[in-house]
Amino acid sequence: MADRGLRADAARNRTNIVRAARALIAAHGVDVGMDDIAREAGVAVGTLYRHFPAKADLIAAIVGERIEEMLADLDAASARLDAGGSARDELVALVTTVAARAGEDRLLKAAAGDLVRTSLNDVEHRAIAALRQIVAAGHRQKALYRDVSADDVALILALLPGEETPDPARRRWVQLVLRSLLADGEGEPSAT
């Protein structure tokens, strides 16, 4: 974490800045002002700029946190699969959760897109490895079509609808995506 090595008050200020920025950006988009973020965080603007010299640095920190949250979700799904869990259930939960979060948070879509757009790095390797495990389990359990790949799932997550899409349309998107991935165990479309 970026808070390591900071004095307690500096770490607390950084945490408050990131929390305030996440809330304001989720609600109002990336055009929210740095003054507004500082005010919401309860810090002086100079304090905000000491931690994040540019707004892009603050947004990168927030997107980085979102990516880490997504990776933690994928790691948890992998652990449940290792314990004999259902790949179908994990894929349904993953797509549903990511779509719901994207409707609430304008930066989540950017985080999901970054997993596909970035060059191969540790984050992408971890995400793709977890998606490969879910997809491989789905193939073994005959829950997914044979031609579905981890790259397909990553692409789908990168193209998920954001906050501009009304909730009923986002839920319909989830249904259509799952219908395109899930098989009934015989290679036929599932009744999802």
Side-chain angles (χ1 to χ4, degrees):
M1 289 293 304
D3 289 352
R4 287 188 196 151
L6 293 178
R7 292 186 336 246
D9 61 333
R12 187 173 41 256
N13 286 342
R14 185 182 192 289
T15 298
N16 289 340
I17 291 166
V18 171
R19 184 180 308 121
R22 281 177 75 165
L24 289 173
I25 291 171
H28 305 292
V30 295
D31 292 333
V32 68
M34 294 291 267
D35 290 343
D36 296 327
I37 293 168
R39 188 173 24 262
E40 182 73 19
V43 300
V45 174
T47 300
L48 185 150
Y49 281 109
R50 268 193 302 281
H51 288 280
F52 302 100
K55 190 178 201 178
D57 299 323
L58 179 55
I59 290 171
I62 296 168
V63 169
E65 284 185 357
R66 284 295 193 216
I67 289 172
E68 286 301 319
E69 289 169 4
M70 289 170 57
L71 290 171
D73 289 346
L74 289 169
D75 290 343
S78 293
R80 288 187 296 271
L81 285 173
D82 287 343
S86 163
R88 172 187 283 276
D89 292 347
E90 293 303 332
L91 191 59
V92 168
L94 175 67
V95 171
T96 303
T97 300
V98 171
R101 286 181 185 166
E104 300 165 358
D105 188 337
R106 296 168 190 248
L107 287 177
L108 183 63
K109 185 172 180 176
D114 283 348
L115 290 177
V116 173
R117 286 190 300 272
T118 58
S119 61
L120 286 177
N121 58 33
D122 183 52
V123 169
E124 188 175 0
H125 284 294
R126 284 177 55 200
I128 293 296
L131 289 175
R132 282 189 181 128
Q133 183 180 4
I134 292 169
V135 168
H139 289 155
R140 281 191 309 276
Q141 296 171 9
K142 297 187 179 178
L144 297 178
Y145 289 113
R146 287 186 300 271
D147 64 343
V148 171
S149 71
D151 290 336
D152 295 336
V153 177
L155 179 61
I156 285 168
L157 294 177
L159 298 175
L160 60 91
E163 89 293 338
E164 73 284 352
T165 305
D167 191 51
R170 202 172 24 263
R171 284 194 308 267
R172 179 67 177 148
W173 178 88
V174 168
Q175 289 176 333
L176 294 171
V177 163
L178 293 174
R179 193 177 295 162
S180 72
L181 298 172
L182 300 176
D184 68 358
E186 302 299 324
E188 295 297 320
S190 128
T192 302

